[in-house]
Amino acid sequence: MGRFRRRMYEEYAHEFSTDESYNIAYRKVKKIKGFYSHLKVYVIVNAIIIISSLNRDFVGNHFELRGFQNWEVYSTAFYWGIALAIHAFTVFGPDIFFNKDWEDKKIKKYMEKEVESKNKWE
């Protein structure tokens, strides 16, 4: 735990420990931070792989650009990119389509529908 976060936690722990909205926000921030860490490692590792492959493509006095002919160089970035996209969807995706407002609207809609059906037969 970082110094700033530890100090903040110690100062405000009594206020936030029972606050459910704080706990939800804290979990969300941890998920977002995990995604950005994953993205950072993805960019660094794949940059190293691609740059090191460019050194092998240097033939004689000129660069030999082979594009995607050298699949083993780009396969890591491709498959890891799919995993990164899935991670991004798990962190950001569900809120895009089915956020809290959507849930509340659907609940109200079904409750109103239920009330109408009860009143219909009375």
Side-chain angles (χ1 to χ4, degrees):
M1 189 181 285
R3 266 185 277 160
F4 176 74
R5 192 170 61 172
R6 186 180 315 119
R7 187 168 29 97
M8 186 181 120
Y9 179 77
E10 289 169 356
E11 289 177 11
Y12 298 105
H14 63 280
E15 293 178 26
F16 294 131
S17 61
T18 58
D19 189 9
E20 186 63 28
S21 62
Y22 172 78
N23 293 331
I24 292 169
Y26 181 77
R27 286 191 298 270
K28 182 73 173 173
V29 168
K30 291 294 279 184
K31 287 180 183 180
I32 293 170
K33 183 179 177 185
F35 170 73
Y36 285 128
S37 296
H38 188 183
L39 179 64
K40 178 176 63 175
V41 171
Y42 171 81
V43 168
I44 292 170
V45 169
N46 286 300
I48 291 170
I49 290 171
I50 291 171
I51 290 170
S52 68
S53 74
L54 289 177
N55 291 337
R56 285 185 272 144
D57 290 343
F58 191 72
V59 178
N61 293 330
H62 65 283
F63 251 156
E64 184 178 317
L65 296 176
R66 292 183 281 198
F68 286 106
Q69 293 174 353
N70 208 0
W71 173 247
E72 64 268 4
V73 173
Y74 302 104
S75 64
T76 303
F78 178 74
Y79 291 117
W80 194 353
I82 293 172
L84 187 66
I86 292 169
H87 189 180
F89 183 74
T90 60
V91 172
F92 301 109
D95 289 342
I96 293 172
F97 299 112
F98 304 113
N99 58 13
K100 184 67 174 163
D101 294 335
W102 178 84
E103 290 178 6
D104 291 340
K105 289 177 187 176
K106 281 295 184 183
I107 289 170
K108 288 178 184 176
K109 178 182 173 184
Y110 286 120
M111 288 173 63
E112 289 170 0
K113 192 174 184 181
E114 184 69 26
V115 168
E116 287 176 9
S117 67
K118 283 183 180 180
N119 291 338
K120 185 177 180 181
W121 298 105
E122 288 180 0

mmCIF file of all heavy atoms in Angstrom, residues 26 84 120:
data_model
loop_
_atom_site.group_PDB
_atom_site.id
_atom_site.type_symbol
_atom_site.label_atom_id
_atom_site.label_comp_id
_atom_site.label_asym_id
_atom_site.label_seq_id
_atom_site.Cartn_x
_atom_site.Cartn_y
_atom_site.Cartn_z
ATOM 1 N N TYR A 26 -14.402 2.211 -4.747
ATOM 2 C CA TYR A 26 -13.040 1.718 -4.541
ATOM 3 C C TYR A 26 -12.773 0.486 -5.407
ATOM 4 O O TYR A 26 -11.726 0.384 -6.053
ATOM 5 C CB TYR A 26 -12.829 1.398 -3.059
ATOM 6 C CG TYR A 26 -11.442 0.912 -2.747
ATOM 7 C CD1 TYR A 26 -10.382 1.808 -2.662
ATOM 8 C CD2 TYR A 26 -11.182 -0.439 -2.540
ATOM 9 C CE1 TYR A 26 -9.101 1.381 -2.376
ATOM 10 C CE2 TYR A 26 -9.910 -0.875 -2.260
ATOM 11 C CZ TYR A 26 -8.872 0.027 -2.180
ATOM 12 O OH TYR A 26 -7.606 -0.403 -1.909
ATOM 13 N N LEU A 84 -6.694 -8.431 -23.956
ATOM 14 C CA LEU A 84 -6.781 -7.063 -23.432
ATOM 15 C C LEU A 84 -8.136 -6.433 -23.744
ATOM 16 O O LEU A 84 -8.721 -5.739 -22.910
ATOM 17 C CB LEU A 84 -5.649 -6.212 -24.012
ATOM 18 C CG LEU A 84 -5.486 -4.815 -23.444
ATOM 19 C CD1 LEU A 84 -5.073 -4.881 -21.983
ATOM 20 C CD2 LEU A 84 -4.456 -4.045 -24.242
ATOM 21 N N LYS A 120 -56.209 -4.596 -13.464
ATOM 22 C CA LYS A 120 -57.030 -5.008 -14.606
ATOM 23 C C LYS A 120 -58.104 -6.020 -14.197
ATOM 24 O O LYS A 120 -59.200 -6.000 -14.715
ATOM 25 C CB LYS A 120 -56.089 -5.604 -15.657
ATOM 26 C CG LYS A 120 -56.733 -5.977 -16.930
ATOM 27 C CD LYS A 120 -55.638 -6.481 -17.864
ATOM 28 C CE LYS A 120 -56.192 -6.899 -19.205
ATOM 29 N NZ LYS A 120 -55.128 -7.398 -20.073
#
